[in-house]
Amino acid sequence: MTKKQSETDIIVVGSGASGAAVTWSLARAGFRVICIEQGPWVDPSAFPVAHDDWQYQMRTEWAYHPNVRRLPADYPVNDDASAIKLQMYNAVGGSTIHWTGHVPRFHPSDFRVKTLDGVAEDWPISYWDLERYYDLNDEMMGCSGLAGDPANPPRSPRQMPPIPIGPDGEHIGRAFDELGWHWWPSDVHVNSTDYKGRKACNLCGPLGNGCSRGAKASTDITYLPDAIKAGAQVWDNTTVFKIATGPDGRATGVEYFDPEGELGFLSARAVVVGCNGIGTPRMLLHSASDSHPDGLANRSGQVGKNLMFHVYAGASGLFENLDEPTYKGPLACIIMSQEFYETDESRGFKRGYTFQMGRGIGPAPTAISNVPWGEDHHDEFAARFGKNLGLGVIGDDLPEEHNRVTLDTSRPDRFGIPAPRVVYRLGDNSRKLLAHGVQSARKVMKAAGASRIMESAFSENTGWHLMGTARMGDDPATSVVNQWGQAHDTDNLFIVDGSLFVTAGGVNPTPTIQAVALRVADYIAHERGDLK
Amino acid sequence: MTTHRTDTEEKLLSAILNVIIPPSEKMPGAGSPAILEECQRMADGHERFGEAVSVILLALGDEFPEASTVQQTEALRELEITRPDQFELFVEVAYLAYYSDSDVHRHIGWRTGALQPLGWELPPFREDVLDTVKQREPFWRDAD
Ligand SMILES: Cc1cc2nc3c(=O)[nH]c(=O)nc-3n(C[C@H](O)[C@H](O)[C@H](O)COP(=O)(O)OP(=O)(O)OC[C@H]3O[C@@H](n4cnc5c(N)ncnc54)[C@H](O)[C@@H]3O)c2cc1C
């Protein structure tokens, strides 16, 4: 954290995928930007993969669930009433410290679900509005992959060739070929060659708990160093308590707790919120004031509603005769299939899903996921270890108002901000989609010659894609922000994270989050000179 | 924080661990001294593991170590039903301790130690593996 000041042009709250991208873009455009982040900078040498007890660290202080980690920067979450449990990381870089860097793009149809399929709402923007921001983001994060995928619109050459998919990836690819189904090497924000001073991935495996080589892109080592060079400040270990508003309802700045726990006030011409699909509605609801009695920017009553994750299921298989054990190579980021991505009414559900191939990553994770205790333990472990491959189904998740985030005042964080309380039920469409996905995954495993196939009908610990809780739209009565991420109720408040998603798509959301964030930043830079 | 366990408690813990992962001809049991020690270290290092171990120890009487394997297994199966969350955490920490042991690693053919800086090697990506799928016409829906 650099020296304290009391006034700036733009405050960005949160330094994750979205906040860091906006900080970079606006600093380059000449705005005085301060990015406030409740967590610390993370030292790459601290990541589990660099330590002998990495398996233990992954399940304790580097766990995905904040209530398990309970680090000083983590706020408690109440997801008791959610069928899907939350996963996020709070530090400079946000959840990109933890992410696995799988970066498929939304399809054009994802932005037009109402028009095409008669469900949910259309987005006020299209794929083509985002295309150049997807490209810019790939340039900044560094994308390994291959253009030419027939399941997607044409795209510009990737910065690096695909990550090696291994004999196991090729094997599963051949099974897709045999079925006549689509597959393609994954686009990933993980370096397959050295890129912009960051090393190539050496395929150690986990990805999801930080990369000590810097081969996996996280915003603390991509956007933020460049943002700082362009003049931005990052205030780490600093928690925004509330976004303040004046009598006219406009944002005036933020109340924050500094690293010593002292309350301060930073005034600004605009506030940009990138606290993720849970942290952002929490912040808006907690920032209720006389001019915004039901929560900031919540005249529509939509803040916190329509929470979407993605729904996950899958099938895995055991393979005895592969050339290499299946723990060699990244856990995910191998190959994907979008055979069942677009709606086909004959399947009995709307929208679709992506298959994402996964590997095993080491002895303890292999044992913990499904090897029974007791007398059969050794045989079962031997049957699985180095031989298990999986196909995850990541399904579109339609927005439903009852899936929502509210405040739980009974569980405040260390500064008295209430915990987010998450209510989420699996929808009927999702159930049918997952059932189809599991049966299709089973067919792939069979075609690949798996000696045994195991199904997972629904995965609970998958709440890492957080979307929909402050959605964008043209109508202020049914949405929170407009197509520029600008709050309908407050012209100098912008939202840039997954909260503003109208629908979820059937792919990992972060490249879309970052593309939208960069588009919002461009709008501010070009249309809102008054904020400088 | 280090929890000091009595000899009786340690004996009980070792016996439980040996039912969770029993010794075999080639493999040590999870209750063997080095793994037992590691399990205690891990339980001490993380509150929810520590709690789970304490709850499971408390739930099983001191006579557990002397019971037959069948009786021991039955007692644990019952705990698995009556205390599902704590039991799951207990098994998790037992597995973590067991599969962090270098002797176990040697037996299962796993390179011990940190994953970095060595990583793994795989042959580079070959584009010809896509020959079949490349023949496919684009099939995404244009919406605008
Ligand atoms: C294990 C895991 C794997 C993942 N894998 C993938 C993947 O392969 N592909 C993909 O597309 N996505 C993946 N994701 C999701 C991806 O990480 C998120 O979509 C992305 O990081 C969201 O960006 P964001 O800016 O919205 O929020 P985040 O990156 O979560 O950042 C929000 C930041 O806001 C800060 N903040 C919150 N409240 C406050 C406050 N009051 N004051 C100050 N700071 C605050 C937080 O500390 C945090 O750093 C994964 C996530 C996890 C956890």
Side-chain angles (χ1 to χ4, degrees), chain A residues 148-187:
Chain A
D149 173 8
N152 280 273
R155 63 185 59 161
S156 52
R158 319 287 66 212
Q159 283 73 29
M160 292 162 275
I163 294 278
I165 64 173
D168 48 2
E170 291 183 8
H171 187 75
I172 299 295
R174 280 192 293 276
F176 277 112
D177 282 346
E178 202 171 294
L179 291 165
W181 290 359
H182 164 266
W183 70 283
W184 203 255
S186 300
D187 266 8

Side-chain angles (χ1 to χ4, degrees), chain A residues 17-18 37-38 90-91 94-95 99-100 102 240 276 283 497 508 510:
Chain A
S18 61
E37 168 56 54
Q38 66 190 350
N90 300 307
S95 304
W99 78 327
T100 54
H102 197 256
V240 170
N276 79 34
M283 172 69 52
D497 54 60
N508 318 57
T510 309

Side-chain angles (χ1 to χ4, degrees), chain A residues 49 52 55-56 59 68 112 117 150-152 164 170 182-183 202-203 339 342 367 371-374 377-378, chain B residues 20 22 42 46 48 77 80 87 92 95 98-99 114-117 119-120 123 126 129 136 138-141 144:
Chain A
V49 289
D52 288 356
Q55 303 179 106
Y56 175 66
R59 315 283 301 187
V68 174
R112 297 287 175 267
D117 300 325
N152 280 273
E170 291 183 8
H182 164 266
W183 70 283
N202 66 356
L203 314 174
E339 183 63 29
E342 304 286 358
V371 178
W373 61 271
H377 181 85
H378 293 297
Chain B
I20 299 291
M42 288 180 165
H46 194 70
R48 61 187 195 127
R77 292 255 173 258
E80 194 171 21
F87 191 81
E92 184 176 327
Y95 283 8
Y98 190 76
Y99 289 106
L115 289 168
Q116 289 292 347
W120 303 108
R126 295 184 298 122
V129 297
R136 187 144 176 195
F139 63 101
W140 52 278
R141 282 194 295 176
D144 294 284

Side-chain angles (χ1 to χ4, degrees), chain A residues 118-289:
Chain A
V119 289
E121 297 291 337
D122 289 348
W123 290 54
I125 58 175
S126 74
Y127 174 86
W128 310 107
D129 291 322
L130 290 184
E131 191 183 28
R132 69 191 172 100
Y133 298 104
Y134 275 124
D135 282 347
L136 174 61
N137 187 52
D138 283 340
E139 172 76 27
M140 288 302 293
M141 301 286 277
C143 187
S144 301
L146 191 71
D149 173 8
N152 280 273
R155 63 185 59 161
S156 52
R158 319 287 66 212
Q159 283 73 29
M160 292 162 275
I163 294 278
I165 64 173
D168 48 2
E170 291 183 8
H171 187 75
I172 299 295
R174 280 192 293 276
F176 277 112
D177 282 346
E178 202 171 294
L179 291 165
W181 290 359
H182 164 266
W183 70 283
W184 203 255
S186 300
D187 266 8
V188 300
H189 283 165
V190 180
N191 295 351
S192 62
T193 59
D194 291 359
Y195 183 74
K196 290 197 173 178
R198 296 189 288 114
K199 288 188 188 148
C201 173
N202 66 356
L203 314 174
C204 77
L207 278 176
N209 299 79
C211 170
S212 60
R213 287 170 71 80
K216 182 186 80 171
S218 48
T219 54
D220 57 326
I221 54 170
T222 55
Y223 280 105
L224 289 176
D226 283 2
I228 291 166
K229 272 188 216 142
Q233 295 180 36
V234 178
W235 289 9
D236 63 335
N237 288 311
T238 302
T239 300
V240 170
F241 182 67
K242 263 185 183 177
I243 299 168
T245 43
D248 59 356
R250 298 187 82 228
T252 55
V254 301
E255 291 172 34
Y256 65 88
F257 283 96
D258 74 9
E260 282 73 47
E262 297 287 319
L263 189 63
F265 185 79
L266 179 63
S267 75
R269 292 167 203 267
V271 176
V272 177
V273 191
C275 293
N276 79 34
I278 301 296
T280 290
R282 173 183 185 238
M283 172 69 52
L284 297 178
L285 294 171
H286 186 239
S287 298
S289 63

